[in-house]
Amino acid sequence: MNFDTKLPKEFRYTIVRRKPGMGFDIRGCLDWNHSSFIFLKNDKDVIIRIRKGKELIGQLAIKTGIDHLENGNTYPLLEAWIYCFAIKPEYRKQGLGSKLLRRAEKYIKENCPCNCIKLHAQKEFENKLIPFYIDHGYYFIDIDPVCKNEPVFFKAIESVH
């Protein structure tokens, strides 16, 4: 498998960080033409985007490190979650999704004390996403009843922390 994260020169990565607890819209969670509201809960949670000029081509969100309970206490997570992973339809099948996923894995390994990455295959796209995730070293582990019975995938990693 090719582990290259370098984009063609007309594209670039951007990393969006927010103060913990700030939420914002993220495009393409279920449909590229609609956005979803998400929260970044700590300073390691980020959005990684691919842009071509000012045009948003793809993005994903990463939840890592520390999670906050309703009572204000925190607890460490030994896993990272990738979610809201989407590539604009006209840019699919060009390797950009693979590069974005590998860039996210690199970020997690370098910035988070995690030993695994988990993600969902959205029900609406699971026939395309399941082979994609398996090809990238992820294993099916469960069905998540909280998230519309979506399949959950897992990949062990070695963090540099």
Side-chain angles (χ1 to χ4, degrees):
M1 174 179 284
N2 180 354
F3 293 100
D4 180 27
T5 61
K6 186 174 180 172
L7 294 169
K9 69 179 182 177
E10 68 270 23
F11 297 96
R12 64 184 165 85
Y13 290 111
T14 58
I15 295 181
V16 178
R17 299 175 195 275
R18 293 281 193 260
K19 292 180 182 176
M22 271 189 91
F24 61 99
D25 287 332
I26 185 166
R27 182 89 27 215
C29 184
L30 293 174
D31 175 351
W32 188 263
N33 297 314
H34 297 91
S35 60
S36 298
F37 195 76
I38 65 168
F39 284 96
L40 298 179
K41 293 186 177 183
N42 69 69
D43 64 346
K44 300 290 186 206
D45 290 358
V46 297
I47 306 296
I48 300 179
R49 293 180 167 158
I50 295 177
R51 292 191 176 276
K52 183 178 181 183
K54 292 184 178 184
E55 181 183 11
L56 179 62
I57 303 302
Q59 66 188 356
L60 55 75
I62 300 172
K63 177 183 175 182
T64 64
I66 296 173
D67 205 357
H68 296 267
L69 299 174
E70 289 181 15
N71 63 9
N73 292 330
T74 61
Y75 62 95
L77 294 175
L78 295 177
E79 62 193 26
W81 279 87
I82 294 175
Y83 60 105
C84 296
F85 180 16
I87 299 293
K88 197 171 184 179
E90 57 267 33
Y91 289 95
R92 294 178 185 159
K93 299 292 184 189
Q94 298 179 34
L96 297 172
S98 293
K99 289 181 183 297
L100 182 56
L101 182 59
R102 287 190 297 269
R103 179 64 185 91
E105 292 171 354
K106 182 176 188 253
Y107 173 86
I108 292 166
K109 288 177 185 178
E110 292 174 352
N111 293 283
C112 310
C114 303
N115 60 19
C116 72
I117 300 170
K118 291 183 178 176
L119 47 77
H120 288 99
Q122 296 169 334
K123 287 295 264 185
E124 294 82 353
F125 305 107
E126 69 181 26
N127 62 332
K128 294 178 183 176
L129 291 175
I130 290 173
F132 176 82
Y133 293 142
I134 290 170
D135 288 348
H136 288 82
Y138 287 80
Y139 297 91
F140 169 78
I141 57 169
D142 203 358
I143 296 291
D144 187 346
V146 175
C147 288
K148 299 184 272 179
N149 291 319
E150 293 177 342
V152 177
F153 288 81
F154 164 93
K155 184 176 189 176
I157 61 167
E158 289 188 33
S159 175
V160 296
H161 285 263

